[in-house]
Amino acid sequence: MTRDRFDRTRSAGYLANHMARLFAQRLHERIRPLGLAPAQFMTLLELWDEDGLTQRDLVDRLDVEQATMANTLARMERDGLIERRAHEADARAKTIHLTRRARDLRGPAEAAAREVNAMAMEGMEAAERERFVVAIGKAVEGLKVGAQTDR
Amino acid sequence: MTRDRFDRTRSAGYLANHMARLFAQRLHERIRPLGLAPAQFMTLLELWDEDGLTQRDLVDRLDVEQATMANTLARMERDGLIERRAHEADARAKTIHLTRRARDLRGPAEAAAREVNAMAMEGMEAAERERFVVAIGKAVEGLKVGAQTDR
DNA sequence: TAGCATTGCATAGCGCGCTATGCAAGTGGT
DNA sequence: ACCACTTGCATAGCGCGCTATGCAATGCTA
């Protein structure tokens, strides 16, 4: 018996990838004039809320690998968005602090992100948007559970 | 007046990025044993359906940049998944053909993808899953419309 | 307190998005 | 036939995911 052909246009995974690429493109073209890239914006969202976090804190909150965050922070430091200072109690760690420049970008950058979110959900009613966000959350949970736990 | 704080856990764009990373991770860990990476699998989905496409065809169907596809195809050729032959009518173009090895991977690779999709939608009812896929489609449309058209 | 495991971070290497370029081959208009 | 425009592809360079390593600082425990 022949299996159904795999239809990428109905595959949640394929669609999720496509959607995420488009989100990143629309966001990037709007925040590039500010000197920002998507992962930097994501990182700033945390730091705008709470300054002085460690790399470890950011890794935990944003769910990326430590090496990924290390590189993103290196680019942000290079671009004058953050400074790293010695941690008070732990000589291994460093605390991350925003520069004036980074602080000033909050308004325009968040506005850009809201704009992109609005574009994406333009064709949905309020209740539909709500369900959409909830559903993505469920998918995230389902996919997290399946992570390799054996390390 | 102070704007609402931007809450990433309720931002469609942030969630979309997170979900897509998780989808890619789960898929990759399942198809890595087959010698495949996610973008290669995506490309194979088209070629399993129709062999002998050109790079241009793949770019149009999968909505990635030409340069991205060129690199993905180079890796696939290096890994013995495809061969490129001279196009019959156009000396600039090449047609892409699957190797035996690539053809044989269809079953296990598609099974892996179905498995990951199932994980993601485990916590949803049938109707909810349907709405989810439809909603992602709407988001894709909304985000595509906003693409820079001025080139 | 000496020794070992854990933790925080950096770095190398690779997949895969993107933009920007460049070249050769095809096409259309005069 | 010629020239300009377009089209198909390759390449360089960069952002940002990932795994795998390595090192120094910390913590735990015998």
Side-chain angles (χ1 to χ4, degrees):
Chain A
M1 43 179 270
T2 22
R3 257 251 186 227
D4 286 326
R5 174 178 150 278
F6 189 92
D7 183 358
R8 62 173 172 78
T9 67
R10 289 184 193 168
S11 161
Y14 178 85
L15 292 169
N17 171 275
H18 193 183
M19 174 172 66
R21 282 189 285 122
L22 290 171
F23 261 117
Q25 287 170 31
R26 296 299 151 265
L27 178 64
H28 201 2
E29 62 200 25
R30 280 167 181 71
I31 61 179
R32 183 175 294 127
L34 306 176
L36 293 181
Q40 298 178 9
F41 171 65
M42 176 174 86
T43 305
L44 286 176
L45 283 175
E46 285 308 307
L47 292 169
W48 281 326
D49 223 44
E50 186 176 350
D51 199 80
L53 296 172
T54 66
Q55 183 180 120
R56 179 82 234 150
D57 293 331
L58 289 168
V59 162
D60 291 339
R61 299 183 188 200
L62 298 177
D63 197 26
V64 295
E65 288 302 315
Q66 172 267 322
T68 298
M69 184 52 67
N71 286 325
T72 294
L73 291 174
R75 283 186 290 271
M76 292 176 74
E77 187 167 33
R78 177 201 65 191
D79 297 345
L81 292 166
I82 58 166
E83 292 177 0
R84 298 193 232 199
R85 303 187 197 144
H87 187 102
E88 289 189 1
D90 189 337
R92 292 168 304 179
K94 296 171 191 172
T95 53
I96 317 285
H97 303 267
L98 293 179
T99 60
R100 176 64 198 275
R101 173 163 128 62
R103 251 175 274 123
D104 290 345
L105 291 175
R106 182 169 190 170
E110 290 188 349
R114 287 180 212 274
E115 196 180 317
V116 175
N117 282 337
M119 288 179 58
M121 303 196 290
E122 208 177 34
M124 304 181 204
E125 305 165 14
E128 208 177 348
R129 297 180 187 197
E130 181 58 25
R131 282 197 302 264
F132 182 48
V133 169
V134 169
I136 301 183
K138 285 190 184 177
V140 166
E141 286 315 305
L143 292 166
K144 263 188 172 173
V145 169
Q148 309 294 28
T149 48
D150 47 315
R151 294 199 183 163
Chain B
M1 43 178 268
T2 21
R3 255 242 182 241
D4 286 326
R5 175 178 151 276
F6 189 92
D7 182 358
R8 64 174 171 78
T9 67
R10 289 184 192 168
S11 161
Y14 178 85
L15 291 169
N17 170 275
H18 193 182
M19 174 172 67
R21 282 189 285 122
L22 290 171
F23 261 118
Q25 286 169 31
R26 295 301 151 264
L27 178 64
H28 200 174
E29 64 200 24
R30 281 167 180 72
I31 62 178
R32 184 176 294 126
L34 307 176
L36 293 181
Q40 298 177 8
F41 171 65
M42 175 173 86
T43 305
L44 286 176
L45 283 176
E46 286 308 307
L47 292 168
W48 281 325
D49 224 43
E50 185 176 351
D51 200 81
L53 296 172
T54 65
Q55 184 180 119
R56 179 82 233 148
D57 293 331
L58 290 167
V59 162
D60 291 339
R61 299 184 189 200
L62 297 176
D63 197 26
V64 296
E65 288 302 314
Q66 172 268 322
T68 299
M69 185 52 67
N71 285 326
T72 295
L73 290 174
R75 284 186 289 271
M76 292 175 74
E77 187 167 34
R78 178 202 64 192
D79 296 346
L81 293 166
I82 58 167
E83 291 177 359
R84 297 193 234 199
R85 303 187 197 144
H87 185 101
E88 289 188 2
D90 190 336
R92 291 168 306 179
K94 296 171 191 170
T95 53
I96 318 283
H97 303 268
L98 293 178
T99 61
R100 176 64 197 276
R101 173 164 128 62
R103 251 175 274 121
D104 291 345
L105 292 174
R106 181 170 190 169
E110 289 189 349
R114 287 179 212 274
E115 196 181 316
V116 174
N117 282 337
M119 288 179 58
M121 303 196 290
E122 207 177 32
M124 304 182 205
E125 307 164 14
E128 207 176 350
R129 296 179 187 196
E130 182 59 25
R131 282 196 303 266
F132 182 48
V133 169
V134 169
I136 302 183
K138 285 189 185 180
V140 166
E141 286 314 306
L143 292 166
K144 263 188 173 173
V145 169
Q148 310 295 26
T149 48
D150 49 312
R151 294 204 179 159

